[in-house]
Amino acid sequence: MLRNVLGKAFRFLGYTVQYGCIAHCAFEYLGGIVVCSGPSMEPTIQNSDIVFSENLSRHFYCIRKGDIVIVKSPNDPKSNICKRVIGLEGDKVCTSNPSDFLKSHSYVPKGHVWLEGDNLRNSTDSRCYGPVPYGLIRGRICFKIWPLNDFGFLRASPNGHRFLDD
């Protein structure tokens, strides 16, 4: 009797570990569901919108300008942020705020990306903390899941004029 109970307990524990490893690999390498908070990506992503983030792009270095990514915050490594990629390594980017009369530009260093929120007036992004190392990218947002009336692929950036092709 005890042997039977122990056998079932160990089998259950074995299955739990196996499925836990599979789930970990799926969420780490394939993707997952993310609840976004904050106003920095409005109007593209509203507070409490639910999106799907795929993680394969970051592993294969397939992140492109215009993609919306989930990134470990450079200011707080315990939290993630959601921003749009404005520049890749070697790109010339506008580093000033939209309200600045004189515009300043800089080049994104090797191994980094330049990130900005779509809501430029209410976003803490690369204009504040500089270029972000590529290794902090956790995933690329593919489409919005919730709210259902906005289900689907995400809109283009309302700040497309900030993408420079020099």
Side-chain angles (χ1 to χ4, degrees):
M1 164 96 168
L2 180 63
R3 184 175 179 189
N4 190 20
V5 171
L6 284 175
K8 286 183 180 181
F10 281 123
R11 274 195 300 281
F12 177 76
L13 181 63
Y15 288 134
T16 303
V17 169
Q18 286 176 339
Y19 291 126
C21 290
I22 291 170
H24 168 73
C25 289
F27 290 125
E28 179 67 23
Y29 296 103
L30 297 180
I33 295 172
V34 177
V35 178
C36 296
S37 62
S40 72
M41 285 302 293
E42 291 176 355
T44 310
I45 298 175
Q46 304 289 330
N47 191 34
S48 300
D49 280 358
I50 301 173
V51 296
F52 179 76
S53 170
E54 62 85 13
N55 299 347
L56 290 174
S57 294
R58 73 180 173 113
H59 293 293
F60 294 115
Y61 296 93
C62 296
I63 301 295
R64 298 184 308 235
K65 278 197 274 187
D67 287 346
I68 299 174
V69 293
I70 302 293
V71 180
K72 284 282 182 201
S73 172
N75 293 337
D76 178 16
K78 294 179 182 172
S79 66
N80 292 323
I81 57 174
C82 175
K83 304 291 178 197
R84 190 177 297 271
V85 176
I86 301 298
L88 301 170
E89 62 182 39
D91 287 344
K92 182 179 179 184
V93 293
C94 180
T95 58
S96 54
N97 289 312
S99 59
D100 293 347
F101 180 71
L102 294 174
K103 302 297 181 199
S104 58
H105 297 88
S106 182
Y107 287 93
V108 180
K110 185 173 179 64
H112 290 71
V113 293
W114 188 268
L115 304 175
E116 291 181 1
D118 285 354
N119 185 355
L120 290 174
R121 290 182 177 19
N122 197 3
S123 177
T124 302
D125 49 36
S126 287
R127 293 171 296 150
C128 299
Y129 44 71
V132 176
Y134 194 92
L136 292 182
I137 296 175
R138 306 303 306 148
R140 181 179 63 90
I141 295 179
C142 297
F143 55 88
K144 194 182 294 190
I145 297 172
W146 188 264
L148 285 177
N149 64 341
D150 211 9
F151 180 88
F153 295 102
L154 298 170
R155 301 186 268 264
S157 172
N159 305 312
H161 61 280
R162 290 186 60 89
F163 294 58
L164 298 175
D165 291 324
D166 291 338

